[in-house]
Amino acid sequence: MTAEPIPHWPGRMIGSVHVRSTPDGPAEQAVFVHGLAGAATNWTDLMGELKDVVTGHAIDLPGAGFSPAPADGDYTVDGHARAVIGLLEHTGPAHLFGNSLGGAVAVKVAATRPELVRSLTLISPALPDLLPRYGPLRVAAAAIPLLGEWVASRLTLVPAEQRITASMAVVWANMDAVHPLRLREAIEEQRRRDDLPYAGKAMVGSARGIVAEYFRRKHTLWEQASKVMARTLIIHGRHDRLVRPAMARKAYRTFRQVRLVLLPTAGHVAMMEMPQVVAAEARRLIGETRLGNAPLPS
């Protein structure tokens, strides 16, 4: 019989954002940044696996999870990066984790505020890739003026169960691996967000923010990646339907200190699909960071 997942970590407001944290323990800190339409709870299981190594803090980006809409209405990647920097200034230098959109945000943070980032772990990061795929095309459609708002308004007419099941079927390699409790929690959370007046705007605004980064001509995310000084771990799932695993090759050529891991049975959210495997790779990176320039034996 499958064990029940652990409860989500308790949350509190830190500045203008909601943050879920593991109990105070190890002196080393870690900050976790979720992807588009995600929340801090995407990291619950991985944070549990790492709680003996780092004290973890998972942010709800502005307008996501339990974080309110930003006062300035800024849902760009730069705006999200400022929110993460604010949390890092509270926690002190930390090991930074990012998934999908959160990976793009984490790259920008690591490039612009290197003194705050001890190491960088990116799980299917949404770095610019103009080859069309079904998932990114849907994001691009949501970013089109007027169409995005129309799509967001129409989606609320679809039952939450149907929307969550369809979303998980895209981001997980194997939908059957989703624990029933996690599925129920996601459905309940979607229903809660359906009642928030800013939820649709937050989703569309964040989608537009990442699409804008894909078409930026100066100071691109790839240029930012080339400036990252922190040791970097990039994890891709072979069955990722949103970010092409082939982008790992470009990442290997771009980041200064990088190790790539391709998980043959994972999709877009490896930290949720196989948290123990991701935790093992993250532990190795954290250990290498502690040892400075002496990498651990393979």
Side-chain angles (χ1 to χ4, degrees):
M1 183 175 180
T2 304
E4 288 287 295
I6 63 174
H8 293 305
W9 303 103
R12 68 194 190 283
M13 293 297 295
I14 297 179
S16 62
V17 293
H18 183 261
V19 179
R20 294 181 182 271
S21 302
T22 55
D24 290 338
E28 290 205 68
Q29 308 291 302
V31 167
F32 301 82
V33 189
H34 64 80
L36 184 66
T41 50
N42 291 169
W43 299 99
T44 296
D45 298 316
L46 181 62
M47 291 168 69
E49 293 290 335
L50 294 174
K51 69 180 186 299
D52 62 319
V53 180
V54 293
T55 298
H57 310 277
I59 187 174
D60 282 326
L61 289 171
F66 281 82
S67 285
D72 58 4
D74 188 354
Y75 292 105
T76 64
V77 173
D78 283 331
H80 289 326
R82 285 194 295 273
V84 174
I85 288 170
L87 176 56
L88 285 165
E89 289 176 338
H90 175 84
T91 64
H95 300 277
L96 184 58
F97 291 70
N99 169 237
S100 195
L101 164 65
V105 172
V107 166
K108 187 153 290 197
V109 171
T112 58
R113 294 296 302 274
E115 77 281 6
L116 293 175
V117 180
R118 297 265 292 131
S119 71
L120 182 63
T121 297
L122 305 175
I123 301 169
S124 295
L127 297 175
D129 175 14
L130 297 182
L131 285 182
R133 302 191 91 195
Y134 172 66
L137 285 175
R138 289 197 308 167
V139 174
I144 296 173
L146 300 181
L147 177 60
E149 285 80 1
W150 181 82
V151 170
S153 66
R154 299 297 294 178
L155 277 176
T156 59
L157 302 178
V158 179
E161 295 91 335
Q162 186 174 336
R163 278 177 282 154
I164 291 298
T165 300
S167 176
M168 285 185 168
V170 171
V171 298
W172 283 64
N174 177 15
M175 176 64 187
D176 292 336
V178 180
H179 193 284
L181 176 59
R182 290 290 191 240
L183 180 59
R184 289 197 302 271
E185 290 170 342
I187 293 169
E188 290 169 4
E189 172 62 7
Q190 185 61 64
R191 288 172 177 155
R192 183 189 71 83
R193 288 194 59 79
D194 284 346
D195 291 332
L196 299 177
Y198 57 83
K201 184 177 181 180
M203 175 68 170
V204 171
S206 293
R208 286 176 177 158
I210 192 61
V211 169
E213 290 293 331
Y214 273 45
F215 291 96
R216 184 191 289 266
R217 291 190 173 186
K218 294 183 178 179
H219 309 296
T220 68
L221 281 171
W222 284 113
E223 290 175 5
Q224 299 279 310
S226 70
K227 298 176 182 178
V228 172
M229 301 299 295
R231 289 176 177 272
T232 302
L233 167 66
I234 299 181
I235 298 176
H236 280 277
R238 188 179 294 277
H239 297 284
D240 194 328
R241 300 178 182 90
L242 299 181
V243 174
R244 287 193 306 134
M247 296 306 292
R249 287 194 289 270
K250 184 170 183 177
Y252 186 77
R253 297 192 301 267
T254 303
F255 286 89
R256 300 187 182 200
Q257 301 185 81
V258 63
R259 181 163 58 87
L260 303 177
V261 175
L262 182 63
L263 299 179
T265 60
H268 188 63
V269 287
M271 74 286 187
M272 301 173 72
E273 297 170 88
M274 43 187 61
Q276 292 178 330
V277 174
V278 174
E281 299 294 346
R283 283 173 181 271
R284 177 181 172 184
L285 177 65
I286 292 168
E288 290 173 348
T289 303
R290 289 171 177 166
L291 291 175
N293 291 325
L296 295 179
S298 298

